[in-house]
């Protein structure tokens, strides 16, 4: 079970990762979780830093796509304002919808990364889809009620990985460590 929730790398926030990290890995697509990864679940429109991140990714030829378990109206509206594609009701931790989208778009799994804040949904789904996953910390304190439940299960695993230095930081990958 540990293997299914172990991320490729860890970052404190999606906003703290250097674009060089993605280009060194040869990525063409970044799947971005929305709630507590890009913005609070309470935000209906993208923050300025979400716009900046999307712009920086596009400048280096990487296509950002929002992958969310959230309801379609909010996700679609958020993505439309940000001018990115999205996949709503992704049903993470299952990877069926993610794999289907990747197949339909002809995406090579080696060129795709998922970034999200939950081990039990984002990391599991990315690992099941055979793509690299970066686990981030929560962006804001508040969570949706259903997310509290997931975090209860996640807490001991995060604690273990942190205590035993099992998270590989994205910076260490750039620096050739680990």
């Amino acid at each position: 079970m540990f293997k299914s929730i172990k991320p490729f790398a860890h970052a404190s926030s999606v906003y703290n990762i250097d674009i060089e990290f993605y280009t060194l890995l040869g990525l063409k697509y970044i799947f971005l979780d929305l709630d507590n990864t890009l913005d609070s679940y309470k935000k209906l429109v993208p923050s300025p830093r979400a716009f900046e991140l999307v712009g920086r990714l596009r400048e280096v030829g990487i296509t950002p796509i929002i992958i969310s378990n959230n309801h379609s109206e909010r996700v679609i509206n958020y993505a439309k304002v940000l001018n990115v594609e999205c996949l709503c009701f992704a049903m993470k931790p299952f990877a069926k919808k993610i794999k289907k989208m990747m197949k339909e778009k002809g995406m090579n799994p080696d060129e795709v990364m998922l970034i999200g804040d939950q081990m039990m949904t984002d990391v599991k789904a990315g690992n099941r889809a055979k793509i690299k996953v970066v686990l981030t910390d929560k962006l804001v304190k508040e969570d949706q009620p259903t997310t509290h439940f997931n975090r209860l299960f996640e807490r001991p695993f995060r604690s273990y990985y942190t205590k035993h230095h099992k998270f590989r930081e994205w910076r260490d990958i750039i620096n050739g460590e680990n």
Side-chain angles (χ1 to χ4, degrees):
M1 180 162 153
F2 268 30
K3 189 174 182 181
S4 72
I5 59 171
K6 185 172 184 189
F8 171 73
H10 174 265
S12 59
S13 165
V14 67
Y15 299 111
N16 294 341
I17 303 171
D18 292 341
I19 296 297
E20 177 189 18
F21 173 69
Y22 309 127
T23 58
L24 284 174
L25 293 172
L27 299 175
K28 292 187 179 178
Y29 302 93
I30 301 287
F31 294 163
L32 296 160
D33 175 54
L34 175 52
D35 296 330
N36 236 333
T37 300
L38 278 177
D39 270 314
S40 164
Y41 79 95
K42 294 179 180 180
K43 296 233 3 168
L44 299 178
V45 295
S47 61
R49 63 185 177 174
F51 279 105
E52 182 183 341
L53 174 63
V54 165
R56 289 177 29 233
L57 289 170
R58 286 188 173 134
E59 283 174 6
V60 296
I62 297 173
T63 302
I65 300 172
I66 294 175
I67 305 285
S68 178
N69 282 351
N70 211 316
H71 63 87
S72 49
E73 183 181 353
R74 173 170 179 262
V75 178
I76 290 169
N77 290 337
Y78 185 100
K80 185 184 261 185
V81 172
L82 199 53
N83 194 27
V84 299
E85 288 185 60
C86 65
L87 177 63
C88 310
F89 291 122
M91 298 177 62
K92 298 176 287 184
F94 305 106
K96 184 177 180 177
K97 286 187 169 188
I98 293 171
K99 287 179 178 179
K100 181 181 178 191
M101 182 186 69
M102 288 172 54
K103 184 176 181 180
E104 288 173 354
K105 295 188 176 293
M107 296 177 180
N108 176 344
D110 292 335
E111 298 173 337
V112 180
M113 176 178 280
L114 188 149
I115 302 175
D117 66 301
Q118 292 186 63
M119 295 173 88
M120 299 300 173
T121 55
D122 302 311
V123 176
K124 266 191 172 183
N127 285 341
R128 287 175 170 169
K130 308 279 190 246
I131 59 178
K132 292 175 183 72
V133 183
V134 172
L135 175 68
T136 64
D137 297 335
K138 289 172 42 170
L139 194 61
V140 294
K141 185 176 181 177
E142 71 266 359
D143 270 322
Q144 289 177 302
T146 54
T147 306
H148 286 290
F149 185 72
N150 286 340
R151 296 219 193 264
L152 286 175
F153 285 104
E154 177 179 296
R155 191 172 295 134
F157 296 103
R158 271 198 190 249
S159 176
Y160 171 84
Y161 278 114
T162 301
K163 181 179 177 181
H164 294 89
H165 308 288
K166 299 287 184 186
F167 282 137
R168 183 165 70 158
E169 294 298 317
W170 69 269
R171 281 188 174 90
D172 294 339
I173 295 168
I174 287 181
N175 298 329
E177 298 173 23
N178 279 358

